[in-house]
Amino acid sequence: MLGPVENRSVSPVFVGRADELDTLNEALARAAAAEPQALLLGGEAGVGKTRLVEEFATAAARRGAVVAVGGCVEIGADGLPFAPFSAALRALRDALPEEFAAAAAGQEEELARLLPDLGEAGAGRHDEQGMARLFELTARLLERVAAEHTVVLVLEDLHWADASTRHLLAYLFRTLRAGRLLVLATYRSDDIHRRHPLRPLLAELDRLRTVRRIELARFTREEAGRQIAGILAAEPDPAQVDEIYARSDGNAFFIEELAVAASAGGCTGLTDSLRDLLLVRVEALPESAQRIARIVAEGGSTVEYRLIAAVARLAEDDLIEALRAAVGANILTATRTGDGYRFRHSLVREAVADDLLPGERSRLNRRYAEALEADPTLVPADARVMRLASYWYHAHDAAKALPAVLSAAVVARRRHAYTEQLRLLERAMELWDSAPEKVRSALRPVDYAEVCPPCGCDPATTPLRYLDLLAEAVVAGRFGGERERALKIAKRALRLLEEEPDPLRAAWFWVQRSRLVQAMARGDGRRELATAQDLVRGLPPSEVHAEVLAVAASWSMQRRPGPEALAAAERAVEYAHMVGARETELDARLTLGGLTVESGEPETGLAQMRQVLRDTRAEGMHHVAARAYVNLPSVLQSVGRDREAVPLLREGIDFCRAYGLLDSGAWMWGNLSEALYALGQWQEAAEAAAHATRAGHGAMPRGAGALLQAHLALARGDLAEAGRHLAAARAWYGTHDPMPQQSLPVARIVLGVAAAEGRIADARAALLPALDAGFPPGTHRYGWPLLLAAATAEADARTLPAARPGRAETLDRLSAAVRTLTTGVPLWHAYGQWTRAELLRAQGRDTADTWSPVVTAFECLDRPYDLARVRHRLAAALLAEGGDDERERAVELLRLAAAVAAHLDARPLAEAVARLAQRARLTLTGAARQAPADPAAALGLTSRERDVLHLVAAGRTNRQIAAELFISPKTASVHVSHILGKLGVSGRGEAAAVAHRLGLFAAGTLAAETPG
């Protein structure tokens, strides 16, 4: 290795960039105050990004910050998975060893996928949450390390970043919310063409308010003069500055190159292109130094000294002299760690690499590969396999490249770099036919394939098949988010299986296709699953057979629960147990437990699910354990045991946080919100729902969280907020796969908003699809709240003229639906009584005897809001019947209901209680907020406008209003417009609904005045 080498091409004076430095220093100050910062620094090649980052990093270190730098690595044309994060985390660990160890404690196996220094990465399960799990643990690691120290994480050269690095950076920028952390990423903006993979990420990050983008501009003429003066150590001739500035167009690196050329006696006009100028400087080196430059250019963005020596095959003294010449000319520079070399600027490297002849390029790659095979210690262990695969591939030696590329794909999979795994597998497919048969027949599935269960063969002795590569690629694409590519590969595999039938393999690919179709919102996956079931029907038990049955049972549990789903789950458990597929067995047992509860045996099913949770935790099956933490509390909630579900959900959330299981954690936050809502803890419920929308990696849990937010807003009377959250939920859910657990709650919110706005026809329209589809077994949890909301809307609209058409048919259909839904547990028995009572109220036939058993039923349940609502109904019925005893009891019921409404900020309920008390001239000490003595006056309605609203509510037209009040139709129209504005509504129907809700006019007078 070399000691310091004198060179003067870099200006010792830092020029310009005052605004950019101010922005970076301001971000550093914010980060030091525990407000995490995310910045992107872009600019064309050579504009000065690296120099700016170096100046900022030096200043940050002087202010006590820990600076950790990592750069994206290029090996030929390949990026190394997670390279900048691995380098930065290694630097952070070296700087803060104790803090890093404490932050990583307990998660070393998982974090070793990013930083192999932590030990061997755990074998673990590979699934669609694998990458997100790693990302979450990385984010929490950085937050913990930065809890007491200001940390600056610099990631350079994103334009070379692999897909996994881009995904991790996006995740950090979206989720970092704590710690004294600043993340700064740089990229070359001139490389970001329309199809560059970094372009979508930049667009996504631009939409985040927490990310600031800095675009580094070229130097002005004055700044260029200062840079030249620094390089030359003398004031330059103005004419020379003008010429260099004109040639360079203000690019800092080209200014430097031209200034050095001029000072060396050259002429800035010697070449027609700046690229040629870069090569002229290289060509001025001794031949041995030029050769070293070509070797380093093809070796990657950095190359180790020992590897250069092995490839160059020069005597050590000659090698050192060649390197000294290249470093002295400022072509090469030593790496930060001092164990290798890189080009001082990537533009020079690209110019040298592009000047290589095709044969020369493949020969250099072969030399690299042979050297690395002969001595694997020439490069760091975590990069060895990837680099060897790249070198052999670019050497165009299929016999050597195929096994090397497959080994690299295995490493990528272990690191959860699934997109890189897919790229490598596609490379292996490309090489497959070119590789000799002898090489292919020596490959074994046990070494390179793990996703497709063995189909009647021994993976240790049977040769690897092309279909095995396709299977690995399908799953890698699914896990890495490259679903379109994965679906094309699955279709290709199924076409090949038509030529060489293999039912088990074909069934496996159909299951993958079903999952992809669902994930891509192109269907519900049922047809694909049915095809898989047909293929395995009648075959002996196998892992594939068990998996097909388990997936089909899980699908049916969510969409078509019933006897067939139960039977499929039972067979899945049986088959999985027979063939020793333990994880599939426990997963199927969990499904079976949920279906058993829904079939009417709650204690048996719950016991099964609890056992699965214990077993999966004990056996380290975190993915299935997380599913158990979602499903077991959910089933408890379905039978009204919300209080029992809450501690389980909190335990599950902690479990998911510890293991980075984001999707499962998001589902748990949603279930927790639902349970807390039922228990009357609405503020905590709102916070949990917000977590569900924020924490979820997938669309479905985010949709569930948004729907819960809409439910809360509706109960609190904020219809605009409910509408916004409802729209968000619908957008997340999509329309491709309307599962009852989504479609029925959505219909309930749509119906509730429409009813609250007086749009009874729209409320009925929201109900009809559910009535048409029916309520199959297992959907009562979502069906009862919908039917109750519909019955309540009909009862509330009983006196509205607009509600009359279609009312009788709607009530008949509601009554028929009520008779079909199960009431097997106290909660749904209470809901059944409540819904039937609302249907009687819709017909004007409810009495105190109707509501008393409903109140009694809810007094035995832990649902304060529901209890307050039915107490209000019973109070109204008692007051309608009259009598002192009834009034006294009604007062107590209304006081209790008002207290709950006030505590929950349930405004519609509070207003309904207050109006009822006002009409009955009752005083509710400590009641919820009272409606004004004259609601019309409170709304700002004049006496004439009140008369007009009275007639609008009775269904009169403007002409009829004018005739009755002895005014002109035009004046009547003006009054109606003023009324709509004061009520904040958009139409006459909504105005009538508001009048009805506020009790402005007695229902009897409206009915009596309604035209025939």
Side-chain angles (χ1 to χ4, degrees):
M1 295 294 292
L2 299 180
V5 178
E6 184 70 26
N7 69 71
R8 257 192 12 195
S9 62
V10 179
S11 171
V13 179
F14 182 69
V15 177
R17 311 308 190 200
D19 291 343
E20 291 83 358
L21 267 179
D22 286 346
T23 299
L24 291 170
N25 287 326
E26 178 196 350
L28 181 64
R30 288 175 178 269
E35 186 181 337
Q37 299 293 297
L39 300 102
L40 290 166
L41 176 63
E44 66 181 9
V47 81
K49 300 181 295 296
T50 301
R51 184 67 185 276
L52 173 61
V53 169
E54 288 172 351
E55 290 292 323
F56 168 63
T58 301
R62 282 198 300 267
R63 293 165 64 177
V66 177
V67 181
V69 181
C72 299
V73 176
E74 228 191 356
I75 315 167
D78 305 329
L80 202 60
F82 298 124
F85 285 102
S86 299
L89 289 176
R90 187 172 289 115
L92 193 56
R93 185 184 184 218
D94 292 343
L96 300 169
E98 293 181 6
E99 293 87 343
F100 194 98
Q107 298 298 339
E108 291 88 351
E109 279 194 5
E110 191 68 25
L111 290 168
R113 302 181 196 280
L114 278 184
L115 186 59
D117 311 37
L118 293 175
E120 188 69 26
R125 173 192 169 97
H126 295 279
D127 53 59
E128 286 173 291
Q129 294 194 61
M131 185 180 286
R133 181 163 61 246
L134 177 61
F135 291 179
E136 174 68 7
L137 293 175
T138 305
R140 301 295 78 81
L141 170 74
L142 290 171
E143 288 182 349
R144 292 186 191 116
V145 173
E148 301 297 332
H149 300 270
T150 302
V151 173
V152 176
L153 195 72
V154 180
L155 307 169
E156 296 186 302
D157 300 322
L158 278 188
H159 48 279
W160 287 334
D162 59 287
S164 298
T165 294
R166 294 194 301 271
H167 296 330
L168 176 51
L169 180 68
Y171 184 85
L172 289 180
F173 276 6
R174 286 196 306 267
T175 62
L176 285 173
R177 299 185 186 90
R180 299 160 60 182
L181 181 66
L182 184 152
V183 182
L184 172 63
T186 72
Y187 66 94
R188 274 175 25 182
S189 55
D190 52 329
D191 270 7
I192 312 303
H193 52 77
R194 189 168 61 86
R195 300 179 67 84
H196 194 286
L198 185 61
R199 193 181 184 94
L201 173 63
L202 294 176
E204 176 189 345
L205 296 179
D206 276 341
R207 292 191 289 271
L208 297 178
R209 290 175 295 177
T210 53
V211 179
R212 280 185 283 181
R213 198 199 299 205
I214 302 171
E215 286 292 338
L216 209 56
R218 297 174 178 178
F219 280 155
T220 63
R221 194 266 181 209
E222 185 269 335
E223 290 169 334
R226 287 163 54 199
Q227 183 189 15
I228 295 167
I231 292 169
L232 302 180
E235 196 64 34
D237 177 46
Q240 184 185 44
V241 173
D242 289 341
E243 187 175 1
I244 290 176
Y245 182 69
R247 288 289 319 284
S248 68
D249 204 16
N251 181 287
F253 179 67
F254 289 140
I255 291 171
E256 176 185 314
E257 293 297 310
L258 291 164
V260 171
S263 67
C267 172
T268 59
L270 280 176
T271 59
D272 292 332
S273 76
L274 292 167
R275 188 182 195 84
D276 292 340
L277 176 64
L278 302 181
L279 289 176
V280 165
R281 287 195 56 214
V282 175
E283 290 163 359
L285 294 171
E287 179 56 37
S288 60
Q290 289 186 49
R291 182 181 170 203
I292 293 301
R294 289 192 289 272
I295 289 171
V296 175
E298 191 58 24
S301 44
T302 64
V303 186
E304 296 75 6
Y305 169 74
R306 292 178 58 228
L307 183 57
I308 295 172
V311 174
R313 301 176 184 175
L314 292 175
E316 187 170 15
D317 289 346
D318 293 340
L319 174 62
I320 289 175
E321 283 307 309
L323 285 167
R324 185 177 297 279
V327 173
N330 218 37
I331 300 298
L332 298 180
T333 186
T335 58
R336 290 187 182 93
T337 54
D339 61 352
Y341 292 88
R342 63 179 177 84
F343 277 82
R344 195 186 71 77
H345 202 285
S346 57
L347 283 173
V348 181
R349 175 185 169 234
E350 290 163 14
V352 173
D354 287 349
D355 200 47
L356 292 172
L357 299 172
E360 188 178 16
R361 187 186 302 277
S362 59
R363 182 174 60 85
L364 282 175
N365 276 284
R366 174 175 290 278
R367 296 274 289 274
Y368 270 114
E370 289 170 344
L372 196 50
E373 275 195 343
D375 185 0
T377 67
L378 293 174
V379 302
D382 59 321
R384 187 179 302 144
V385 176
M386 288 289 182
R387 288 175 66 173
L388 185 62
S390 178
Y391 292 144
W392 276 127
Y393 178 77
H394 290 103
H396 304 300
D397 186 332
K400 289 283 192 176
L402 179 60
V405 165
L406 287 172
S407 295
V410 171
V411 170
R413 181 181 67 222
R414 287 177 183 162
R415 300 189 73 176
H416 290 337
Y418 298 118
T419 307
E420 283 60 55
Q421 181 196 1
L422 175 59
R423 175 179 57 80
L424 288 162
L425 288 167
E426 288 174 330
R427 204 168 259 187
M429 295 176 211
E430 170 196 332
L431 294 166
W432 187 262
D433 289 334
S434 303
E437 173 61 28
K438 182 179 178 181
V439 171
R440 296 202 306 265
S441 62
L443 302 172
R444 294 290 177 267
V446 70
D447 298 320
Y448 303 111
E450 71 169 28
V451 300
C452 187
C455 300
C457 59
D458 183 358
T461 58
T462 305
L464 186 76
R465 296 173 57 186
Y466 186 72
L467 277 170
D468 295 320
L469 300 188
L470 297 180
E472 294 291 319
V474 167
V475 175
R478 187 160 64 84
F479 291 172
E482 298 289 342
R483 298 186 181 101
E484 191 68 58
R485 288 159 68 186
L487 185 59
K488 288 180 180 177
I489 294 169
K491 290 178 178 178
R492 188 195 315 171
L494 288 168
R495 285 196 297 271
L496 290 174
L497 285 164
E498 289 175 1
E499 300 170 8
E500 298 180 26
D502 185 337
L504 285 178
R505 281 187 181 272
W508 185 89
F509 276 107
W510 277 110
V511 169
Q512 303 308 311
R513 189 164 166 177
S514 171
R515 288 169 167 155
L516 287 164
V517 164
Q518 293 175 66
M520 297 169 72
R522 294 185 183 174
D524 63 7
R526 176 60 187 162
R527 183 181 68 84
E528 291 79 7
L529 275 181
T531 304
Q533 287 178 283
D534 289 341
L535 285 164
V536 299
R537 188 170 287 115
L539 296 180
S542 65
E543 287 187 44
V544 172
H545 202 154
E547 183 180 359
V548 170
L549 291 171
V551 173
S554 178
W555 187 96
S556 296
M557 182 180 70
Q558 296 176 21
R559 297 166 180 85
R560 299 178 188 175
E564 288 186 15
L566 190 68
E570 288 172 338
R571 279 185 292 130
V573 170
E574 178 188 356
Y575 283 22
H577 183 73
M578 289 173 64
V579 299
R582 180 63 171 164
E583 190 164 333
T584 301
E585 178 189 348
L586 290 174
D587 198 45
R589 283 192 186 279
L590 187 64
T591 300
L592 178 60
L595 290 166
T596 301
V597 173
E598 291 176 356
S599 70
E601 300 180 48
E603 294 309 323
T604 302
L606 288 169
Q608 289 176 330
M609 299 178 82
R610 287 193 179 96
Q611 187 61 50
V612 169
L613 179 56
R614 286 191 292 270
D615 290 346
T616 50
R617 289 210 60 166
E619 296 175 34
M621 296 179 184
H622 300 148
H623 177 76
V624 184
R627 184 171 173 241
Y629 271 124
V630 173
N631 287 17
L632 174 56
S634 179
V635 170
L636 284 168
Q637 291 172 264
S638 77
V639 294
R641 292 156 68 169
D642 296 88
R643 194 166 294 279
E644 195 176 334
V646 168
L648 258 179
L649 287 164
R650 295 196 186 280
E651 181 183 309
I653 287 167
D654 289 340
F655 177 86
C656 288
R657 186 181 292 119
Y659 292 100
L661 299 160
L662 298 187
D663 260 7
S664 299
W667 281 117
M668 290 173 210
W669 279 115
N671 289 349
L672 180 61
S673 175
E674 189 176 353
L676 293 170
Y677 175 91
L679 295 170
Q681 300 173 37
W682 283 12
Q683 186 55 44
E684 295 91 336
E687 293 167 3
H691 271 291
T693 59
R694 183 166 63 236
H697 181 69
M700 294 307 175
R702 291 181 182 178
L707 196 62
L708 289 162
Q709 289 174 316
H711 190 192
L712 271 165
L714 179 59
R716 284 178 162 163
D718 191 341
L719 300 184
E721 186 74 3
R724 282 192 292 272
H725 289 308
L726 176 62
R730 284 174 139 175
W732 286 119
Y733 282 156
T735 57
H736 66 288
D737 186 9
M739 290 185 280
Q741 69 184 70
Q742 297 163 8
S743 60
L744 295 180
V746 165
R748 179 185 54 169
I749 303 301
V750 172
L751 188 153
V753 171
E757 293 176 345
R759 297 182 286 108
I760 190 65
D762 292 339
R764 289 170 181 165
L767 172 69
L768 283 178
L771 293 180
D772 291 340
F775 299 92
T779 60
H780 55 276
R781 174 182 181 179
Y782 312 105
W784 275 122
L786 174 61
L787 294 181
L788 173 65
T792 302
E794 292 296 333
D796 288 344
R798 181 169 62 90
T799 60
L800 292 180
R804 285 184 174 178
R807 174 185 292 141
E809 181 186 355
T810 302
L811 293 178
D812 287 344
R813 295 199 64 184
L814 279 171
S815 298
V818 164
R819 289 192 293 272
T820 67
L821 273 185
T822 179
T823 57
V825 296
L827 174 62
W828 305 123
H829 179 71
Y831 259 80
Q833 289 180 293
W834 187 0
T835 306
R836 291 182 179 90
E838 291 289 0
L839 288 172
L840 288 173
R841 187 169 72 90
Q843 301 168 56
R845 294 168 47 212
D846 63 319
T847 66
D849 289 339
T850 304
W851 289 103
S852 287
V854 181
V855 171
T856 300
F858 276 97
E859 284 174 340
C860 299
L861 301 172
D862 203 354
R863 303 177 83 87
Y865 178 58
D866 289 345
L867 178 57
R869 290 177 64 194
V870 296
R871 279 173 169 165
H872 165 249
R873 293 282 185 246
L874 176 55
L878 288 167
L879 291 171
E881 292 181 4
D884 292 340
D885 290 343
E886 285 76 5
R887 285 178 64 83
E888 185 176 340
R889 188 179 173 201
V891 168
E892 183 57 29
L893 289 167
L894 290 176
R895 282 175 178 166
L896 292 170
V900 170
H903 173 71
L904 299 179
D905 192 24
R907 292 189 292 274
L909 176 59
E911 291 166 0
V913 168
R915 285 196 304 272
L916 180 58
Q918 175 195 328
R919 287 201 301 270
R921 291 180 168 80
L922 301 177
T923 302
L924 304 180
T925 305
R929 68 172 64 85
Q930 299 288 320
D934 184 357
L939 292 169
L941 297 178
T942 65
S943 176
R944 175 59 82 186
E945 286 168 349
R946 179 175 177 139
D947 293 338
V948 172
L949 177 57
H950 192 178
L951 294 171
V952 167
R956 301 291 199 271
T957 66
N958 285 349
R959 185 171 297 281
Q960 290 169 328
I961 292 170
E964 195 153 337
L965 298 180
F966 303 102
I967 57 177
S968 70
K970 184 175 181 180
T971 301
S973 175
V974 170
H975 282 310
V976 170
S977 297
H978 288 168
I979 291 166
L980 297 182
K982 290 179 179 181
L983 296 183
V985 297
S986 58
R988 301 165 79 97
E990 289 182 63
V994 169
H996 172 77
R997 191 166 65 245
L998 295 179
L1000 294 179
F1001 314 112
T1005 62
L1006 289 180
E1009 293 171 0
T1010 302

